[in-house]
Amino acid sequence: MGRHPNCHVVLDNGAVSRHHAQVLESHGSYFLEDLRSRNGTFLNGEQLESRTELNDGDEIRVCDIVMTFEMHGSSSETAPPVPPRGPNLSQVGERTTREQIRNVDSALSLDESVAAASIPSYESSSVIGTIDARRRSNEIVGQHPEIKLQAVLEITRALGRELEVDAVLPKVLAALFQIFPQAAQGFVLLKDPDSPKLVVKATRVRKGSEADAVAVSMTVVRQAMESAQGLLSQNALEDSRFKQSASLTRMQIRSVMCAPLVGQEGTALGVIQIVTRGSDEVFNNDDLDLLVSVASQAALAIENATLHEQLLLQREFERDLEFATQVQLGFLPKARPRVPQYAFSDYYEAALRIGGDYFDYIGLPGGQLAVTLGDVAGKGMPAALLMARLYSSARYQLLTSPTPAAAMAGLNKEIASSGLGHRFITLLVAVLDPAKHEVTLVNAGHLAPLVKRINGNVEAIGREESGLPLGIVPDQEFKSSTHALYPGELLVAYTDGVTEAMNEEREIFGRRRLEECIAKETGDIDAVMKAIIGEVEAFVGENTLRDDTCIVGLQRLAK
């Protein structure tokens, strides 16, 4: 739940963070977790510090919005019923097989080079009729309107409930073979969305026909698609090109119709072609008119099925993305450290659902605490995967290396040799020694952290000792610098999502505004964190975040 439109529960309140809190289910139990929101999440009046189990009747408060958790609450939403399959038109005495088209490759190119001599073509003189396939059904006129109406109803009935492209096309041919009893063979070609080719998607042969190759004319197919017109050849045997083909003569192809499948945008998605064999089985203009009508209905069904498949893929992607989001949130610390005389605060917001910013608190031997803050180049899934690797590798190096600088060198060597291409990572490691009240910094190309001194001045520290980002030079050595923290002083580390936040005038927030914000806030580290987030969000306004945002702060308490 939060203010961002992609939240499951959108809370339209300026005080609510974009991604404020979430409810998780695990083995029948439910848990409430604050997502490092600016103003916190409250359960039964107590502010959440970590993930907490929910009980029936618990009160959840997000800013001034109060909700009650019901363990067995009823929902008014019900899943839509799964539509039943359309009628089976395949059991009408015909047989369907993709092996019937032997003169067509599995992917027919639209290029001129594909129209090889082995593929017969119809001469333009044999095309005696054309009909514009871009007309709508109510524009069709003819001598037998009752036949056309019956045909359109038949095809609509067959396709109306079908939601898969591969299931739509056999039904189209099945309906056509019922409408045209003289049809001997037919096929459907569709454009390949990833290449300039036509792909054989369905074929049909009348029962009792010889299992010979179906004649395919790329000339007619190409002309039908480019002109968006249905084409008719009444007597293919009279075409001079067919006389050179012994197989076509043996097949006794008589009449051919080819209609483009024209989509809503007026572009051809593919073609339907059917042929006859008998000398007295000839298609006429009324038949072509009817085929164009059917093709129009089929094109609509194909587009609807395609959209449905895309929606299913999008939903599957959303589920995977939601899981990835939960995995990434699982890498982030569940609670802030409890170190005597110190307070901590942090904030994380991905520009997309998942991001490449990273921070962690790592307890070290001797009571020391390492605070890490990194930024993986890029956004989205690739950056998040690399962040996951950084999380485990940084912990291993810091726990096994003698110094923070040696840990950074080992981590850099590992990233550089991992085969991740040209991706790189900026990383800041700040090791707090609470006994000495000192912070040791090692910086791999990251933005220098800011320290607010007792006198109110804000300064960047450790900039001179900063090295190159991780993953560029495998054998790079890193330098460290140590800085004292006096009572009341605080340190803020951040990623460039803060300073490069952009408003509608394409101005960036910048480090100067950040320093001024920290300097004028007189409260503790939590107040400073809220002030930074508030000013960045006010500066950005309704503009979309361009980069992930991550801020980590620590403060030595005055008492």
Side-chain angles (χ1 to χ4, degrees):
M1 60 189 73
R3 202 173 75 250
H4 198 280
N6 69 16
C7 290
H8 296 108
V9 179
V10 179
L11 305 177
D12 188 11
N13 187 313
V16 176
S17 297
R18 287 182 172 87
H19 296 89
H20 198 105
Q22 65 179 358
V23 176
L24 303 171
E25 186 272 337
S26 177
H27 303 289
S29 298
Y30 294 85
F31 299 85
L32 179 64
E33 180 179 17
D34 182 76
L35 299 179
R36 293 174 181 80
S37 62
R38 182 169 76 251
N39 293 312
T41 303
F42 294 80
L43 179 63
N44 298 324
E46 299 291 332
Q47 184 169 0
L48 285 181
E49 295 293 337
S50 60
R51 184 178 296 178
T52 304
E53 185 173 358
L54 287 167
N55 297 305
D56 192 45
D58 279 350
E59 182 183 271
I60 301 171
R61 181 166 64 84
V62 174
C63 298
D64 59 353
I65 301 169
V66 179
M67 295 162 277
T68 301
F69 176 76
E70 297 181 0
M71 182 70 72
H72 303 290
S74 60
S75 173
S76 61
E77 295 182 1
T78 58
V82 178
R85 286 288 194 179
N88 185 0
L89 300 182
S90 61
Q91 300 174 355
V92 292
E94 292 87 356
R95 72 174 181 273
T96 302
T97 173
R98 295 197 176 197
E99 297 178 355
Q100 305 304 322
I101 297 186
R102 298 178 180 175
N103 288 343
V104 184
D105 292 332
S106 60
L108 293 173
S109 174
L110 291 177
D111 297 336
E112 293 294 333
S113 59
V114 177
S118 60
I119 300 179
S121 299
Y122 300 112
E123 293 180 350
S124 58
S125 61
S126 66
V127 178
I128 66 169
T130 63
I131 294 179
D132 194 337
R134 290 166 291 194
R135 301 168 307 159
R136 297 298 173 230
S137 298
N138 58 3
E139 301 175 15
I140 298 172
V141 294
Q143 297 179 358
H144 303 288
E146 69 282 358
I147 297 179
K148 293 178 173 58
L149 177 59
Q150 180 182 357
V152 172
L153 289 176
E154 182 72 19
I155 198 73
T156 302
R157 187 182 303 114
L159 304 180
R161 294 179 176 178
E162 193 54 70
L163 297 176
E164 296 181 4
V165 173
D166 288 341
V168 164
L169 300 178
K171 290 181 180 294
V172 172
L173 289 179
L176 289 175
F177 270 55
Q178 284 187 316
I179 295 167
F180 299 112
Q182 71 270 40
Q185 295 176 333
F187 64 84
V188 180
L189 307 180
L190 286 186
K191 274 185 177 180
D192 184 349
D194 301 321
S195 66
K197 292 183 177 181
L198 288 174
V199 179
V200 178
K201 300 297 290 186
T203 65
R204 196 172 188 85
V205 177
R206 181 75 64 181
K207 185 177 181 180
S209 301
E210 295 181 6
D212 291 326
V214 174
V216 178
S217 169
M218 290 308 297
T219 300
V220 172
V221 167
R222 192 180 301 109
Q223 184 177 348
M225 293 189 65
E226 291 176 354
S227 65
Q229 291 182 330
L231 305 178
L232 167 65
S233 177
Q234 282 192 330
N235 193 346
L237 292 177
E238 294 180 357
D239 193 303
S240 60
R241 297 186 183 182
F242 294 160
K243 295 178 181 179
Q244 304 298 322
S245 174
S247 61
L248 289 177
T249 302
R250 184 178 68 253
M251 290 166 60
Q252 295 297 306
I253 296 299
R254 176 67 177 179
S255 188
V256 178
M257 288 194 299
C258 184
L261 298 163
V262 181
Q264 292 294 308
E265 301 297 326
T267 57
L269 310 175
V271 296
I272 300 176
Q273 180 174 303
I274 57 176
V275 303
T276 67
R277 283 186 173 179
S279 59
D280 58 345
E281 296 173 340
V282 178
F283 294 127
N284 56 37
N285 282 327
D286 287 339
D287 294 331
L288 179 61
D289 193 3
L290 179 54
L291 180 63
V292 170
S293 302
V294 171
S296 175
Q297 295 294 321
L300 179 60
I302 290 170
E303 285 190 319
N304 290 339
T306 301
L307 290 174
H308 176 72
E309 291 179 357
Q310 291 174 350
L311 178 61
L312 292 179
L313 290 174
Q314 179 65 27
R315 287 179 178 174
E316 183 177 352
F317 174 77
E318 287 291 333
R319 286 194 296 268
D320 290 344
L321 190 58
E322 183 66 28
F323 179 73
T325 301
Q326 297 302 324
V327 170
Q328 185 175 47
L329 290 174
F331 284 119
L332 301 179
K334 297 297 181 293
R336 293 160 186 168
R338 298 184 181 275
V339 179
Q341 303 183 60
Y342 283 87
F344 297 83
S345 187
D346 50 61
Y347 176 82
Y348 178 88
E349 181 79 31
L352 304 177
R353 297 280 289 277
I354 53 177
D357 282 5
Y358 143 87
F359 79 97
D360 198 7
Y361 302 115
I362 306 169
L364 301 179
Q368 295 183 331
L369 176 73
V371 179
T372 58
L373 178 70
D375 187 355
V376 177
K379 295 184 287 296
M381 192 72 73
L385 291 173
L386 189 51
M387 186 278 280
R389 175 166 185 166
L390 177 64
Y391 168 85
S392 60
S393 297
R395 281 181 163 257
Y396 171 78
Q397 293 292 343
L398 284 167
L399 289 169
T400 58
S401 300
T403 64
M408 188 74 86
L411 184 59
N412 174 65
K413 185 174 294 185
E414 179 181 340
I415 297 297
S417 61
S418 61
L420 297 173
H422 298 289
R423 289 190 177 274
F424 61 89
I425 303 169
T426 66
L427 180 66
L428 175 71
V429 175
V431 177
L432 172 66
D433 188 337
K436 297 180 179 180
H437 300 296
E438 292 178 343
V439 175
T440 300
L441 298 179
V442 183
N443 195 334
H446 199 79
L447 298 168
L450 301 176
V451 171
K452 184 178 180 180
R453 298 300 183 185
I454 298 176
N455 58 11
N457 292 336
V458 177
E459 62 184 53
I461 59 174
R463 185 181 300 166
E464 293 77 10
E465 292 80 12
S466 179
L468 293 174
L470 302 178
I472 297 179
V473 180
D475 298 326
Q476 181 182 185
E477 298 294 331
F478 292 88
K479 299 178 181 179
S480 63
S481 60
T482 302
H483 308 268
L485 280 181
Y486 296 96
E489 293 186 339
L490 58 86
L491 179 147
V492 175
Y494 57 96
T495 60
D496 57 8
V498 177
T499 52
E500 294 182 6
M502 186 176 293
N503 62 16
E504 294 180 355
E505 287 73 34
R506 302 191 65 80
E507 296 177 316
I508 62 172
F509 188 75
R511 196 183 74 180
R512 178 181 59 81
R513 287 188 177 90
L514 177 60
E515 291 177 350
E516 292 175 352
C517 175
I518 297 174
K520 68 183 181 183
E521 176 56 53
T522 59
D524 58 12
I525 187 63
D526 277 332
V528 170
M529 187 70 64
K530 291 181 180 180
I532 295 172
I533 299 167
E535 288 207 11
V536 170
E537 290 188 347
F539 178 81
V540 172
E542 297 301 322
N543 209 28
T544 304
L545 286 174
R546 298 173 60 251
D547 202 356
D548 306 326
T549 302
C550 186
I551 314 171
V552 181
L554 62 90
Q555 181 181 28
R556 181 180 175 185
L557 301 179
K559 295 181 181 180

